Amino acid sequence: MLFTVMQLIGGIILSVGWIPQILQIIKTRSVADLSLKSYLLMLLGIALMEAYAVNLAAQGVGLAFLITNTLSLAVVSTVVLLIIRYRAGSK
């Protein structure tokens, strides 16, 4: 139980850590210094881990992992979409 709580808290902190980046992008509308390739690779890695998390949750274990991984998938997806949006808008 302790490790589940630790994983949940750690995963939430990691997911929330992306919010300042998202807010900065929205505020400045600048993504010039961000690497789309890097964020796409992170997104792919998180998506693969999401499939694993869904499998674990279906077996009745790993719900905390599924929750926090889904949060990470959402925030990194948001960054990728903002990069695409603001790069397309600057051309």
Side-chain angles (χ1 to χ4, degrees):
M1 178 69 177
L2 174 64
F3 289 108
T4 300
V5 171
M6 289 171 58
Q7 195 281 321
L8 190 59
I9 293 169
I12 289 170
I13 290 169
L14 288 172
S15 298
V16 170
W18 290 99
I19 293 175
Q21 180 68 65
I22 292 169
L23 294 175
Q24 183 71 18
I25 292 170
I26 292 169
K27 178 182 174 185
T28 63
R29 296 184 180 185
S30 174
V31 293
D33 294 330
L34 298 180
S35 169
L36 179 58
K37 290 177 188 176
S38 292
Y39 280 96
L40 287 173
L41 285 172
M42 281 190 277
L43 188 62
L44 176 60
I46 294 169
L48 292 171
M49 289 184 358
E50 182 75 359
Y52 177 62
V54 167
N55 181 49
L56 285 177
Q59 295 175 21
V61 294
L63 183 60
F65 180 53
L66 176 63
I67 291 167
T68 58
N69 200 74
T70 302
L71 287 171
S72 292
L73 188 64
V75 292
V76 173
S77 295
T78 301
V79 173
V80 167
L81 291 172
L82 288 169
I83 291 171
I84 292 169
R85 176 181 177 191
Y86 290 122
R87 289 243 171 105
S90 67
K91 292 181 180 182

